[in-house]
Amino acid sequence: MERRILIGGFGGQGVMMIGQLLSYTACETTDKNVLYFPSYGSEQRGGTANCYVTISDEQIGGPVGQEIDNVIVLNEPSLLKFEERVKPGGLLFMNSSIIKAEPKRDDITVIRVPANEVAEEIGSGKIANLVMLGTYIGYTDALPEENVLATALKKLGAKRPWLNEMNEKAFRTGLAYGKEQKSRA
Amino acid sequence: MERVFMKGAEAVAEAAVRAGCRFYAGYPITPQNETPEYLARRLPEVGGVFLQGESEVASINMVLGASIAGAKAMTSSSSVGIALMAEGISQALNGCQPIVIANFMRGGPGGGTIQPAQSDYLQGTKAIGNGGCKLIVLAPCNVQEAADLTYEAFRLAERDRNPVLILADGCIASMMEPVILPPMRTDEELEKERLARRNWISNGVRTRGWGSIKLDLWYGRAAMVNAESQGACGKPVVEHTLESANRLWAELYETWENDIRVEEYRTEDAEYILTGYGTGGRVCRAAVDQLREKGYRVGLIRPIVVNPFPANAYKKLDSQKVKFVLCSEMAIPGQMFEDVQASLCDRIPSYYYGRSGGHILEESEVIDAFMSHLD
């Protein structure tokens, strides 16, 4: 079983962090193979950023591909660019707080996540990526939820332990939202 | 053994430290900056030295200096930066200095692009410096291999007193994968090795006859052989001329036949062969599995050591059975493809498919290229 994930957004939205938290969790808490491959421009903030994560029971091939199982987009340019890469029957998670355009495909499942609104309600728009991550895990169960949360608290809490409470809340709110969306699907 | 999740560029750096590297000099260039960044923090922890040179030329010469003073030393760069180091690398060979160089390739020619490519195969394997100098060239296809081959590079360099090149593409530098790191070599082991190097390293005081630095740096291989045999007869055993030194280097290159490493996957019953190295190689491997699922008998040949080239893996293919060989690299035109063609000697048709300019090769593209050659 192999799962290919692509995460895209603006630099500064925490796109790479979503990919890294998934990858670290897969590496440190499972026996699976995992490949994380980032791609970004020279800008730290405001430029485009995306990363590929492949989690597999088998040896992993190339770092990038056109047929992606799960695509997570945090901004509109990423939706326009990556919608076509979702495998037929695959999942597209989109940050509906920011993305106003509508997906064109009818052969995929779209999960709209008001990530920025939820994050701001909790305390800061900056944790919208954790809301997305929580939703993704809640919907797909791609990795054990408690392991992903533990990884997030460990990695993010290393420098800013005082933010862990808020980070956990963002993740858990997303998680509940993802499970709810899944139960309706 | 614990798996750690690391970038390829960092795994190379940590493996170098574990192999005993205690000196690094380099100049920043994307996509390999994580190697110097990591070593800037890591080397001081083990009593080593990290230096950012004012240029690539300065950096490679600092590495030469550290090496002649007895340190296990390395540098890294990317494509156009390696080109700037050419003179120093050739001199490392001339001085029989066991340094390690890592090239995380980006697109070219010239400054090209910061994005990954495999555009320096010919530079690395045929002529990395002037004067006909050859190095063992190791080409990892994932983070684990990047760590393992770096560790091995220091052993091979020391064994031959000759530089070793790690030829990785930019993908390997920036991808993160789980890796089991090689063991840390102990201070005792390293000190024992340093003492064994006493007959050629400079301590700043002694003159050492045939082994002296002045002679090592001119026609080094002849000086080295004479120094090593000094105890036996007290006289030089080979002429100290450039030509005799060239013959000795040629003899060294012959011994590398034993260092050939190649991955042959599902080749036993193969009617078609996909081949590539580094990221191109792993993409081909995945393409082999997908094509097998579609019912095609496809196998993989992936050189792990690209110089010396594993020509026999291609020479032994049965021309009655194998219909064609498709080579895929992130370079246009193909570079390793030249060695593949030379190994096949027109016995079996061969084709090439590549991407370049920062485009990363994908399995689907290799599969499409494969299908286009079926009759």
Side-chain angles (χ1 to χ4, degrees):
Chain A
M1 157 95 193
E2 180 167 290
R3 189 190 289 268
R4 282 193 179 228
I5 309 160
L6 168 59
I7 306 140
F10 287 130
Q13 280 188 307
V15 169
M16 303 304 188
M17 186 52 73
I18 296 177
Q20 289 197 3
L21 292 175
L22 289 169
S23 304
Y24 272 108
T25 306
C27 174
E28 291 171 3
T29 72
T30 75
D31 296 330
K32 290 178 189 294
N33 289 314
V34 54
L35 168 68
Y36 166 84
F37 188 70
S39 165
Y40 38 84
S42 44
E43 312 89 343
Q44 279 200 308
R45 290 194 176 81
T48 60
N50 63 77
C51 64
Y52 292 82
V53 176
T54 309
I55 301 169
S56 180
D57 295 315
E58 310 293 326
Q59 198 166 326
I60 296 170
V64 307
Q66 295 296 327
E67 294 227 312
I68 312 291
D69 299 290
N70 308 152
V71 171
I72 304 172
V73 288
L74 277 77
N75 70 353
E76 200 158 308
S78 300
L79 172 68
L80 300 177
K81 192 170 170 189
F82 298 128
E83 183 187 347
E84 61 179 41
R85 296 219 188 169
V86 185
K87 222 180 199 172
L91 304 175
L92 173 70
F93 294 80
M94 58 180 260
N95 180 2
S96 58
S97 306
I98 290 182
I99 303 173
K100 295 302 161 209
E102 277 298 306
K104 296 180 189 73
R105 300 267 299 268
D106 56 10
D107 58 343
I108 59 174
T109 305
V110 178
I111 299 100
R112 292 175 177 76
V113 190
N116 281 69
E117 281 139 334
V118 172
E120 270 154 29
E121 216 165 276
I122 293 167
S124 165
K126 288 179 186 169
I127 51 176
N129 62 337
L130 289 174
V131 177
M132 282 308 269
L133 177 64
T135 306
Y136 175 70
I137 293 296
Y139 194 97
T140 62
D141 208 18
L143 289 163
E145 57 190 58
E146 290 307 319
N147 295 4
V148 179
L149 177 62
T151 305
L153 298 183
K154 190 171 84 182
K155 299 288 173 197
L156 300 168
K159 276 187 187 165
R160 298 182 180 83
W162 60 90
L163 291 179
N164 268 353
E165 199 185 324
M166 200 161 78
N167 288 337
E168 179 167 352
K169 201 168 171 194
F171 180 81
R172 287 202 186 281
T173 309
L175 195 67
Y177 181 77
K179 285 179 181 173
E180 188 198 319
Q181 294 295 309
K182 174 74 181 171
S183 68
R184 286 188 196 172
Chain B
M1 296 290 269
E2 199 196 349
R3 299 202 301 178
V4 289
F5 196 57
M6 278 183 121
K7 276 194 177 191
E10 293 176 341
V12 165
E14 179 59 32
V17 169
R18 287 168 181 244
C21 176
R22 291 297 178 269
F23 183 92
Y24 174 97
Y27 188 77
I29 183 169
T30 304
Q32 61 85 58
N33 287 321
E34 287 85 348
T35 298
E37 183 197 20
Y38 187 93
L39 288 170
R41 189 172 60 239
R42 185 74 171 101
L43 275 174
E45 290 175 5
V46 291
V49 173
F50 169 88
L51 271 173
Q52 181 179 317
E54 69 269 36
S55 69
E56 284 85 352
V57 177
S59 300
I60 185 72
N61 281 285
M62 288 173 182
V63 170
L64 295 188
S67 166
I68 205 74
K72 282 183 192 275
M74 82 171 291
T75 186
S76 62
S77 190
S78 178
S79 298
V80 65
I82 295 288
L84 283 165
M85 293 181 178
E87 183 196 8
I89 296 171
S90 182
Q91 180 53 35
L93 187 118
N94 192 27
C96 298
Q97 295 181 249
I99 65 169
V100 173
I101 306 129
N103 181 3
F104 295 98
M105 296 177 278
R106 53 190 251 174
T113 170
I114 63 169
Q115 306 297 341
Q118 296 183 296
S119 48
D120 304 331
Y121 176 90
L122 292 173
Q123 178 204 39
T125 59
K126 310 298 177 203
I128 193 157
N130 62 296
C133 64
K134 282 186 181 288
L135 318 183
I136 291 181
V137 183
L138 310 172
C141 82
N142 56 40
V143 176
Q144 184 66 57
E145 262 186 14
D148 294 343
L149 293 177
T150 302
Y151 201 71
E152 179 71 354
F154 280 89
R155 187 186 71 79
L156 293 170
E158 199 78 30
R159 183 194 70 187
D160 295 341
R161 274 186 62 190
N162 204 63
V164 172
L165 176 69
I166 297 154
L167 189 68
D169 50 79
C171 292
I172 306 293
S174 49
M175 70 169 55
M176 295 179 84
E177 284 184 314
V179 55
I180 295 170
L181 290 163
M184 185 80 178
R185 299 201 58 201
T186 64
D187 289 345
E188 292 75 45
E189 277 175 335
L190 295 174
E191 178 61 11
K192 213 167 134 190
E193 259 189 33
R194 199 185 65 79
L195 290 174
R197 272 179 282 166
R198 245 185 340 198
N199 67 341
W200 63 270
I201 63 175
S202 164
N203 58 14
V205 183
R206 279 190 314 141
T207 327
R208 297 156 301 144
W210 284 105
S212 78
I213 291 176
K214 184 161 167 266
L215 290 172
D216 275 354
L217 298 182
W218 287 103
Y219 320 150
R221 201 112 210 127
M224 188 187 103
V225 166
N226 284 329
E228 279 170 3
S229 63
Q230 203 173 24
C233 62
K235 276 195 294 190
V237 296
V238 292
E239 255 189 303
H240 190 83
T241 64
L242 181 55
E243 190 182 37
S244 60
N246 286 146
R247 284 206 183 90
L248 291 167
W249 271 303
E251 280 173 26
L252 172 70
Y253 305 153
E254 294 291 316
T255 65
W256 292 346
E257 285 295 306
N258 302 321
D259 297 314
I260 284 172
R261 276 172 71 179
V262 57
E263 178 186 6
E264 291 163 294
Y265 175 63
R266 305 182 91 162
T267 52
E268 305 80 18
D269 63 338
E271 293 173 356
Y272 308 94
I273 295 288
L274 300 186
T275 188
Y277 71 102
T279 295
R282 70 185 281 165
V283 169
C284 284
R285 193 184 199 278
V288 164
D289 285 337
Q290 290 179 31
L291 286 165
R292 284 266 174 181
E293 276 172 32
K294 292 180 199 234
Y296 298 103
R297 289 187 178 173
V298 187
L300 169 80
I301 299 178
R302 178 177 68 88
I304 299 168
V305 175
V306 288
N307 191 56
F309 188 71
N312 274 337
Y314 303 88
K315 282 182 184 161
K316 73 182 185 200
L317 293 175
D318 183 352
S319 59
Q320 303 299 312
K321 212 166 71 181
V322 178
K323 292 177 182 142
F324 66 77
V325 175
L326 174 65
C327 180
S328 280
E329 305 167 50
M330 296 197 301
I332 297 176
Q335 299 194 6
M336 189 182 87
F337 186 47
E338 292 185 9
D339 281 337
V340 172
Q341 283 180 307
S343 308
L344 289 171
C345 300
D346 288 332
R347 288 187 313 113
I348 299 169
S350 58
Y351 305 109
Y352 180 75
Y353 175 78
R355 295 298 308 267
S356 75
H359 292 281
I360 294 161
L361 198 64
E362 297 178 12
E363 286 111 37
S364 58
E365 297 170 340
V366 175
I367 290 169
D368 288 348
F370 170 85
M371 299 304 250
S372 76
H373 292 296
L374 292 176
D375 23 67

